[in-house]
Amino acid sequence: MERSKLIAYITGAISIILALAYLLIVSILDFRGEMLPAPISQIPSILSAESLLKLIENLSVNI
């Protein structure tokens, strides 16, 4: 019975430590300020299906 109480205390302490660490990390990340979206010029353009097929075709011809 004593061993099970000790294990319960240890796991409870670990749980509290993890919860406090999580709250600290979230508070630090939240303190950094408002998140701004990436500039549109930095986002890569999406390939169309047609250009993707041409690219695959060119690769297979070159091999």
Side-chain angles (χ1 to χ4, degrees):
M1 187 70 143
E2 270 308 304
R3 183 170 182 205
S4 61
K5 279 188 177 182
L6 178 64
I7 292 173
Y9 287 138
I10 291 172
T11 55
I14 291 172
S15 174
I16 291 171
I17 290 169
L18 287 175
L20 291 175
Y22 173 78
L23 287 175
L24 179 67
I25 291 170
V26 168
S27 297
I28 290 171
L29 292 176
D30 191 42
F31 183 71
R32 296 187 314 171
E34 183 180 350
M35 291 180 56
L36 300 174
I40 294 188
S41 63
Q42 299 295 321
I43 299 174
S45 61
I46 299 174
L47 292 174
S48 66
E50 182 180 334
S51 63
L52 186 60
L53 288 174
K54 285 181 183 178
L55 178 66
I56 293 171
E57 185 178 284
N58 287 338
L59 288 175
S60 64
V61 169
N62 292 336
I63 295 178

